[in-house]
Amino acid sequence: MDINVLRRENDLIDLFCKLAEIPSPSLKEADVANYVKNLCDENNINCKLDGYGNVYISIPATDESKQPILLSSHMDVIGDDSPVKVYADEDGLLHAVERTLGADDKAGVANALYFALYLAKSDIKHGGLEVVFTRDEESGMSGIHNLDFGMLKSKYVLVLDSDSLGQFMTSGASYTLVNIDVHSFKGGHSGVDIGDPTRENAAKLIADLISELPQGVFYADENGAVVTSCNLGGISAGNVNVTNVINTDAKASYSIRSSSREHEEELKNLMIFQVDDFNKEYKDRAEAKITFEEHLPPFEKTWDNYVPQMFEAAAKDCGVEAEIGPFHAGAETHIYANRTNANGEKFIPFLVGLADVHNMHSCEENVDYQSIIKGQEILRKFFEDFNK
């Protein structure tokens, strides 16, 4: 398939390719931001960059009785700042030559920007559109953490960053790092001191302790979807090449992921209980300590089904079966879900897929160009229904 013909025949695909061809690894997104700003200026669309380099686009309401909605995507991609050359294979899949394509999240940026250009020239009566393009989602989420949420009037947020057309994720898992340290009070020589019952080997102790702790799925919902999980990341104790030492220190690390604060706290309390029980058993010989560090808050499901049902209906009208449910990972939805807008309302975000992206973050990454077009169709139908 000739990519040049495809680009001439479809403005949305041409826009996606132009965005993809601008290298934008994390914290090097300025060229993308400037391209978006210039395009908006040419079309008389209000667009500005904040002090951190995030992009804000706003299209005023044409009907004040209706409410605005926010579209959000991130400008950075996995990869370096080497040139990006897009091509299409015979199946209509878009790739980049010998590198990541950056469809995560240029597909989201392209669909949101193209829709803003369309809406600015349409006669649809609506409550207003806000668009945010953030920096640095992939490496640290510093872009959204530096966002001025007080500028945003929308309550509902569609974060266009899922990898499957029709996905509409209503909750997402937190990420909490758990560290467990075990210290035995007396070490020694594995021969001379091995018979001393007051000496405990920390390597053995931590193995005993983690054998009592949860691993894998801790809680799933009625449909079998994972809500809360616990995963052992690694164990460090002693030296595999040194066997004549009774080890005094050992460490284990875990990740907790949960889309429910209640079930996450239940899991944490269980882990604390096991550590406390350990300390009672080994009093005066060893001690274990456990710490929790929340790196990403949970994106909890709300009881507001208005938007999910509307998206499902819009997708169906466009010939796509929507996938409504949770996802057991993190995204910018989690930050929105824990912040408030200009009116003091908590955001209600959703993670939305408007394209089929395969092999993300690899040199084999590709996106089905027809899915990008279908995603725009769904977005337009949803927006029209949202503003009825």
Side-chain angles (χ1 to χ4, degrees):
M1 181 176 289
D2 190 328
I3 186 66
N4 294 316
V5 172
L6 181 59
R7 293 177 69 162
R8 285 196 300 269
E9 291 179 348
N10 192 286
D11 291 341
L12 173 57
I13 301 305
D14 183 55
L15 177 60
F16 167 77
C17 291
K18 286 177 178 175
L19 289 165
E21 287 167 350
I22 304 173
S24 57
S26 299
L27 299 177
K28 294 184 178 181
E29 308 91 346
D31 288 345
V32 172
N34 290 331
Y35 175 83
V36 172
K37 177 71 167 64
N38 291 336
L39 187 58
C40 287
D41 289 348
E42 291 169 6
N43 288 273
N44 299 313
I45 295 174
N46 183 25
C47 176
K48 59 184 177 181
L49 277 61
D50 67 14
Y52 197 72
N54 298 306
V55 177
Y56 298 76
I57 298 171
S58 62
I59 296 178
T62 56
D63 184 343
E64 294 292 343
S65 69
K66 304 180 187 301
Q67 58 182 323
I69 194 166
L70 170 64
L71 305 179
S72 181
S73 304
H74 64 87
M75 297 179 288
D76 63 316
V77 304
I78 293 295
D80 55 26
D81 54 6
S82 61
V84 183
K85 183 179 180 181
V86 181
Y87 70 94
D89 66 21
E90 59 184 11
D91 296 318
L93 301 177
L94 307 182
H95 306 253
V97 176
E98 297 181 348
R99 61 155 292 150
T100 53
L101 174 63
D104 172 21
D105 190 24
K106 298 290 179 65
V109 174
N111 254 318
L113 181 56
Y114 193 79
F115 181 74
L117 295 168
Y118 156 78
L119 185 64
K121 297 177 181 178
S122 76
D123 57 2
I124 298 174
K125 295 297 182 183
H126 62 85
L129 176 72
E130 297 178 306
V131 179
V132 165
F133 297 140
T134 58
R135 301 180 63 200
D136 189 35
E137 188 270 352
E138 298 288 3
S139 68
M141 289 195 182
S142 64
I144 193 166
H145 281 295
N146 282 277
L147 204 64
D148 182 0
F149 296 97
M151 292 178 58
L152 304 171
K153 300 177 182 178
S154 301
K155 177 172 68 172
Y156 295 108
V157 185
L158 304 187
V159 177
L160 310 182
D161 192 21
S162 187
D163 63 352
S164 182
L165 178 66
Q167 278 190 334
F168 198 85
M169 305 289 95
T170 56
S171 63
S174 61
Y175 173 71
T176 297
L177 172 65
V178 185
N179 286 313
I180 299 175
D181 294 279
V182 171
H183 175 67
S184 61
F185 302 144
K186 291 172 66 177
H189 190 282
S190 65
V192 175
D193 300 313
I194 200 69
D196 184 349
T198 67
R199 301 175 194 267
E200 298 287 351
N201 191 309
K204 174 63 165 61
L205 293 181
I206 203 160
D208 291 344
L209 177 55
I210 65 174
S211 71
E212 299 296 325
L213 295 175
Q215 169 60 37
V217 177
F218 180 73
Y219 182 83
D221 67 16
E222 62 277 7
N223 298 314
V226 178
V227 173
T228 306
S229 68
C230 183
N231 184 66
L232 175 64
I235 307 167
S236 174
N239 184 326
V240 294
N241 297 312
V242 179
T243 61
N244 63 348
V245 174
I246 299 174
N247 298 295
T248 56
D249 291 285
K251 181 174 183 176
S253 63
Y254 283 83
S255 66
I256 292 177
R257 297 183 184 273
S258 181
S259 53
S260 164
R261 284 235 182 242
E262 178 184 355
H263 292 298
E264 179 168 343
E265 289 305 311
E266 182 183 348
L267 173 56
K268 287 180 180 178
N269 288 334
L270 175 60
M271 298 179 82
I272 291 170
F273 174 83
Q274 294 291 353
V275 169
D276 288 344
D277 201 44
F278 171 94
N279 286 332
K280 290 175 183 176
E281 181 178 355
Y282 291 98
K283 184 181 180 181
D284 299 326
R285 288 176 289 162
E287 181 182 33
K289 294 181 179 180
I290 185 168
T291 59
F292 302 94
E293 298 175 12
E294 182 177 273
H295 289 247
L296 188 67
F299 158 34
E300 295 189 276
K301 183 179 180 180
T302 72
W303 295 109
D304 189 337
N305 292 318
Y306 166 66
V307 171
Q309 290 173 354
M310 188 174 296
F311 182 87
E312 186 174 26
K316 184 176 181 180
D317 286 345
C318 297
V320 174
E321 183 177 352
E323 178 190 346
I324 311 292
F327 68 109
H328 203 60
E332 290 182 324
T333 45
H334 297 54
I335 310 304
Y336 281 114
N338 290 277
R339 300 296 180 92
T340 56
N341 65 11
N343 302 316
E345 302 169 301
K346 284 197 74 172
F347 290 106
I348 301 179
F350 304 95
L351 187 71
V352 182
L354 294 183
D356 285 327
V357 183
H358 314 109
N359 304 319
M360 282 198 307
H361 299 178
S362 74
C363 291
E364 290 74 42
E365 182 180 4
N366 64 79
V367 60
D368 183 340
Y369 87 87
Q370 294 184 38
S371 72
I372 300 177
I373 297 171
K374 182 61 71 171
Q376 183 69 196
E377 184 182 342
I378 295 172
L379 181 58
R380 291 188 185 186
K381 182 67 173 69
F382 169 82
F383 188 82
E384 291 170 4
D385 292 347
F386 183 79
N387 284 282
K388 282 184 177 177

